[in-house]
Amino acid sequence: ILYNILSEDPSFKSKLFIFDLAKEIWEQYSTQFFGLGYGKSEESLGIFPHNFFLLYFLELGIIGFSLKIIFLLYILVKSKFQCYIILFPYLIAVMSATGYGTHYLYTVLSLITSLSKIKI
């Protein structure tokens, strides 16, 4: 039932289309380890990926994507897991849409991490 509902949803169809394009790009180029380069996914796909994981996986490759995830986990640990309040909803939201405005996210995460070190 869920598949029937989702298969008719234009937004869901567009996500599947983007994933198919990304798979083709991934198989065509030998950039799997280092990616296409920052800002090159939209140019290569012909459409913006609209997905954090797909965006960074294409642009940064296996190595860069892994480092990005490790960095987010590092922030989570350094903030004594207080950043999950921001990070968890953000990661859910960016599975549908994302942008290059993530510097705001990192600003908030750095504030939370800094404040978590202060003893009250």
Side-chain angles (χ1 to χ4, degrees), residues 9-10 26 33 39 52 54 64 69 81 83 85 89 95 103 105 112:
D9 179 28
W26 187 256
F33 287 108
F52 168 87
L54 183 60
I69 297 301
F81 295 92
C83 284
I85 296 167
M95 290 206 296
H103 52 281
L105 168 73
I112 292 171

Side-chain angles (χ1 to χ4, degrees), residues 14 22 35 40 46 66 68-69 71 74 80 82-83 92 94 99 107 117:
S14 70
K40 299 288 185 187
S66 299
K68 181 107 176 145
I69 297 301
F71 176 69
Y74 174 78
K80 300 175 186 170
Q82 293 178 1
C83 284
I92 290 173
V94 298
T107 302
K117 294 178 183 179

Side-chain angles (χ1 to χ4, degrees), residues 8-117:
E8 295 178 13
D9 179 28
S11 177
F12 186 72
K13 282 183 178 179
S14 70
K15 304 294 186 281
L16 292 177
F17 175 72
I18 292 169
F19 272 97
D20 285 341
L21 286 175
K23 184 180 174 212
E24 289 176 21
I25 296 293
W26 187 256
E27 291 170 349
Q28 280 180 347
Y29 296 100
S30 59
T31 58
Q32 287 92 356
F33 287 108
F34 298 107
L36 300 169
Y38 190 71
K40 299 288 185 187
S41 60
E42 185 174 7
E43 179 184 314
S44 298
L45 294 172
I47 187 171
F48 190 74
H50 293 93
N51 183 301
F52 168 87
F53 301 102
L54 183 60
L55 173 78
Y56 287 108
F57 198 72
L58 280 175
E59 292 186 358
L60 303 176
I62 294 169
I63 294 171
F65 181 77
S66 299
L67 290 173
K68 181 107 176 145
I69 297 301
I70 289 168
F71 176 69
L72 291 175
L73 290 172
Y74 174 78
I75 290 173
L76 196 61
V77 169
K78 288 302 272 185
S79 72
K80 300 175 186 170
F81 295 92
Q82 293 178 1
C83 284
Y84 82 91
I85 296 167
I86 301 293
L87 201 54
F88 185 68
Y90 171 79
L91 290 175
I92 290 173
V94 298
M95 290 206 296
S96 178
T98 187
Y100 291 104
T102 55
H103 52 281
Y104 298 113
L105 168 73
Y106 294 121
T107 302
V108 172
L109 292 178
S110 67
L111 286 171
I112 292 171
T113 302
S114 297
L115 293 174
S116 69
K117 294 178 183 179

